[in-house]
Structure formats: C-alpha cells, structure tokens
Amino acid sequence: MKKAGRLYFFEPAEEELAKGDWVLVETSRGLECGKVVVAPRELLAEESPPESEPGLPLKKVYRKATAEDLIQLEENREGERRAFEICLDKIVEHNLPMKLINVEFTFDVNKMIFFFTADGRVDFRDLVRDLASIFHTRIELRQVGVRDEAKLLGGMGGCGRPLCCASFLGEFIPVSIRMAKDQNLSLNPTKISGVCGRLMCCLKYENDLYCENCPQRSVIFKPKLGSRVVVADGEGKVVAVSHSRRNATIILDNNKTVVTGWEDILPVNAEDFESVEESAQIEEPKPVEEPKPERPERPERRERPRKTEPVNRRYKRNEQTERPQRFRGDKPRRQYNREPKK
C-alpha cells in the first residue's frame, strides 16, 4: 500500500469492514493487500457504480486480512529491499544505462515489479533472465517518468513541506505555464519547477480563483516562426509551427529541442504572437434560416427514337455507297530535289 496511491473501489460482499481494516483484493497485477480508507456505504439510485480499475467492473473483496497476512506483508517489504540491492548489482554487471527507483512485490509474490528511469530505450532482456533465475517468479521491468520518480522517492519541496505527489495526490493533474502567468508569478523555470524538473503541481490549486473571469481561457496565441518564447523548460526560439496539432517546436538556449502546445507558450514580445480563438469558445447564436421551398419534380424526359440507318452526316450519303477505288500508280509521286547544297 502506498501513502499517496490511487483509490480503488471494491464490493465488500458479506465482509463487515470499517475504516482502517486491512483486506486482500484481486487486482490486475495479482493478489494485493490494502487498507480501507473509505468506509462501505450504499450507492444512491442516481449514482453510477464505481470501477475497481479503469475499464474493469467492480470486483469483490477477497477476504479480510489476518495476523498471518500482516506478517507476510512485512516479510514482502523486507524482500523488496533485498531484491533492490540484488538488482542494483546486476545493472552494474550488465552495464545498463538505467536508474533503479523501487521494487514492489505482489502479496503472493507471483510477480516482482522493478521501476526504473532511463533517457531512452534499454535492452534489459539479459537482466530479466538473471533476476528470474534468482527469484524464480515473474519479473516485470517498468520504465517511469521523472514525475513518477519523485512520487516514488518522495522528498521536500521548495516550500519546506513534503512533496504533494508523495503525500496526498493520487493522480497527477495537468499544469501549464499559463497558470503561472495568470497568477503573476515569475516565469523563471528554476522558480516555478519542482524537484522533478516539471512545473509545480501547486500552481493548479489557486488557478481557478485567479482565472474565474480570465479572458485567456477562451483565447490562446499562435507563435510565429523565429519568435522568442518562454516555456516550462526555459526560453528559446520557435523553429516550426504545426497548425493541425496546434503545437510548436522550440530550440532552447541550452540547445535542447522541445515540442509544446500553443496554450503552454508565452511570448517574449507580445507582437510576435497572433491571437487564435479556440473552438471551445461560446459562439453567438446564428439566425434560424427558413426552409427553402421544394422544387417541383421535373417530368420524365422522353427519349427520342434513334435512327437505325447508318448515315454519314459529313457527306450526307449512306456509308454503304461504293467509293471509287484508287491505286498507288494513279497518283503522281512527289519529286524531291536531290541537288547537292552549295
């Protein structure tokens, strides 16, 4: 169980559960042990039943955890720490460009999940074989991003408090640099970015109060080629603009190339941008057009009888008329001047 993990809903069935109880549930990863954080309640008639996991119907609780199950859970935690050290040694042995973040066991240890970060794709097939030969169970290596890394590792933010993603945020919320602009904050990436290097999640908390009547909600700006802009990763120059995808390719001052949507780009000079109305903007009601009167149906066109007799209109005579035959010797041949040129 994670401190700031996602909430999953299950049907208690015949089990009498209360907030704080430990239960065993069946998930897509296998048998897991979790803690009840919301007491069971009955759904109203107008409420739709929740899902155990996205796209899956509501599942039932397997059973209530016993004292032996809690002991097994502690043993799994100790096994995760040992597996972490073994995997680190194997990564160094195979010289793989990856950083191990965390290891998780399912409750019945039918699967072991190793979380890691890397700059690109990593060929870890040999590593999986070595780990499977050591632990004799299913091995899964999952690559995560920098925000998930901060959530798994935890830490302290610039405000002096524990990271929001590791404390209470179950899922990441979308954050854009437009939020910092609307709140009149500094656009310096080092001041509005968290320890993960992305924009701080807390920019979303008060954004609705600042932008309740903000006109920039319905209007965005399209950058021009060659203009100087500011994005979450820093300041740079626009080198390409995609009108179909509504994004722009930007080369930052540190020679890094990023692709960002129009709504997440701010201009250094206001005249370098063109305002573009979003399709979500409320349109003025159009006048109702009166239906046009239907045209009367045309009568069926009568077909004219075709002439069956073949007639040559050019000569106005029947093609069957015999023509005089000409022989090659009847026509004089053309004389050519074969005198040599002077």
Side-chain angles (χ1 to χ4, degrees):
M1 186 201 71
K2 300 178 182 178
K3 184 178 180 181
R6 290 185 56 184
L7 295 179
Y8 296 93
F9 296 90
F10 293 88
E11 186 179 349
E14 299 178 357
E15 296 284 347
E16 294 183 0
L17 303 175
K19 185 177 179 180
D21 292 342
W22 290 85
V23 294
L24 297 180
V25 293
E26 186 71 27
T27 65
S28 58
R29 300 198 308 181
L31 192 63
E32 297 279 359
C33 184
K35 188 176 182 181
V36 179
V37 294
V38 178
R41 66 180 182 89
E42 294 184 0
L43 294 176
L44 301 178
E46 60 273 10
E47 292 183 1
S48 59
E51 300 176 343
S52 298
E53 296 182 43
L56 298 178
L58 192 65
K59 296 183 179 181
K60 295 182 179 181
V61 174
Y62 186 69
R63 63 178 172 84
K64 197 172 181 179
T66 60
E68 291 79 6
D69 296 333
L70 298 180
I71 294 175
Q72 177 66 29
L73 186 63
E74 291 297 328
E75 293 178 356
N76 291 346
R77 298 292 177 266
E78 184 63 27
E80 290 174 357
R81 288 188 284 270
R82 293 196 302 267
F84 188 89
E85 299 295 334
I86 295 174
C87 187
L88 282 180
D89 296 338
K90 292 297 179 180
I91 290 175
V92 175
E93 179 181 344
H94 291 282
N95 194 21
L96 296 176
M98 55 189 294
K99 178 183 177 183
L100 187 63
I101 301 300
N102 193 20
V103 181
E104 291 184 3
F105 287 8
T106 57
F107 181 76
D108 50 5
V109 201
N110 279 338
K111 181 190 291 187
M112 300 173 62
I113 305 174
F114 296 82
F115 298 91
F116 71 95
T117 59
D119 294 335
R121 300 186 61 179
V122 180
D123 186 7
F124 47 74
R125 290 175 291 183
D126 295 337
L127 176 63
V128 173
R129 295 191 192 98
D130 291 350
L131 295 176
S133 63
I134 295 173
F135 299 106
H136 303 285
T137 186
R138 291 181 58 189
I139 303 296
E140 179 181 345
L141 270 74
R142 186 174 301 177
Q143 186 173 358
V144 298
V146 290
R147 300 186 78 181
D148 297 291
E149 178 184 1
K151 184 179 181 68
L152 292 172
L153 296 179
M156 303 297 290
C159 57
R161 297 178 58 85
L163 298 179
C164 299
C165 57
S167 302
F168 58 89
L169 284 182
E171 297 180 1
F172 291 108
I173 52 180
V175 185
S176 65
I177 197 172
R178 180 71 57 183
M179 299 177 183
K181 176 68 174 179
D182 296 338
Q183 299 177 40
N184 199 21
L185 298 176
S186 173
L187 300 182
N188 188 353
T190 59
K191 295 184 178 180
I192 58 178
S193 299
V195 296
C196 60
R198 299 291 186 266
L199 293 175
M200 294 187 294
C201 298
C202 56
L203 294 176
K204 179 70 175 177
Y205 299 161
E206 300 180 1
N207 185 66
D208 294 338
L209 299 178
Y210 284 89
C211 289
E212 184 176 359
N213 299 318
C214 184
Q216 293 179 351
R217 273 191 165 185
S218 59
V219 178
I220 61 176
F221 296 93
K222 180 181 67 175
K224 295 181 180 179
L225 288 175
S227 59
R228 299 283 300 177
V229 295
V230 178
V231 293
D233 297 328
E235 187 175 338
K237 180 181 179 182
V238 178
V239 295
V241 178
S242 175
H243 297 271
S244 58
R245 298 183 179 180
R246 302 176 73 86
N247 59 22
T249 305
I250 303 165
I251 295 182
L252 303 179
D253 294 339
N254 56 2
N255 295 329
K256 180 182 178 181
T257 303
V258 295
V259 180
T260 312
W262 291 353
E263 62 275 6
D264 296 332
I265 302 176
L266 294 178
V268 175
N269 300 318
E271 60 272 9
D272 291 341
F273 273 35
E274 301 174 0
S275 62
V276 179
E277 295 183 358
E278 286 186 345
S279 58
Q281 188 178 3
I282 299 176
E283 298 180 356
E284 297 181 358
K286 298 180 180 180
V288 180
E289 298 181 358
E290 298 181 358
K292 297 181 180 180
E294 298 181 358
R295 295 182 179 180
E297 297 182 358
R298 295 181 179 180
E300 295 182 0
R301 186 175 182 180
R302 297 176 57 185
E303 295 184 358
R304 296 180 181 179
R306 297 182 178 179
K307 296 181 180 181
T308 57
E309 182 180 2
V311 177
N312 193 325
R313 295 184 178 180
R314 181 176 180 183
Y315 299 100
K316 297 182 180 180
R317 61 184 180 183
N318 197 329
E319 291 183 354
Q320 298 178 356
T321 306
E322 296 182 359
R323 298 181 181 180
Q325 296 183 0
R326 293 183 178 180
F327 298 95
R328 189 170 183 180
D330 298 342
K331 185 178 179 180
R333 293 185 177 182
R334 184 176 178 181
Q335 299 295 330
Y336 294 95
N337 188 5
R338 300 182 179 276
E339 296 180 2
K341 296 181 181 180
K342 296 181 180 181

